[in-house]
Amino acid sequence: MRTDAPKAALVRKRFPRRAEEVAAARRFVSGGLTRGSEAWETTQLLVSEAVTSALDQTAPQRGSGTLEVGYAVVGRRLRVEVSDDGGPARLRRRIHAVRSTGGRGLELVRALAARWGVRESSSGRTIWFEVDITGG
């Protein structure tokens, strides 16, 4: 994991911390990409996983509030950041049973993103990733 800062200003939007906002976050980020392209498909999946991870990793006493999604085109890549205000709970790696139906979101981000990372602080964390957008 890397903790690189963005090289371009991100377009940002805040979303209520609710599971039903995952689809709105996907639409917000991927609206400028060619629908059905590999970059669009990958971005849809990775935004879903990053937002869901942010919702899942929230410290129990901070279950309400918002999360912020930002994106920018940096060179030939789309950079996406998902930040939460979930408090000091650290991102935790879990081991899942083979038949488990959840909990592999950041593994997908790691496998499909050109680059990715996590920044953590006492007030929350940011999961970021970059997707190659060449050709779409």
Side-chain angles (χ1 to χ4, degrees), residues 16-85:
R17 185 187 305 284
R18 296 191 318 248
E20 51 273 11
E21 294 298 322
V22 175
R26 279 194 311 263
R27 286 189 301 274
F28 169 68
V29 172
S30 61
L33 297 173
T34 302
R35 186 176 184 89
S37 68
E38 184 176 342
W40 185 86
E41 296 288 344
T42 300
T43 299
Q44 291 281 291
L45 175 61
L46 299 187
V47 168
S48 293
E49 297 302 336
V51 171
T52 300
S53 182
L55 292 171
D56 184 47
Q57 298 289 336
T58 303
Q61 70 277 16
R62 305 274 307 258
S64 61
T66 61
L67 55 90
E68 183 178 79
V69 178
Y71 70 91
V73 174
V74 181
R76 294 181 176 172
R77 291 186 175 158
L78 175 70
R79 181 183 180 94
V80 177
E81 296 189 358
V82 177
S83 302
D84 66 50
D85 56 0

Side-chain angles (χ1 to χ4, degrees), residues 82-101:
V82 177
S83 302
D84 66 50
D85 56 0
R90 293 195 47 90
L91 195 63
R92 56 197 184 274
R93 185 176 174 99
R94 301 178 193 160
I95 298 173
H96 301 280
V98 172
R99 295 179 189 256
S100 177
T101 59

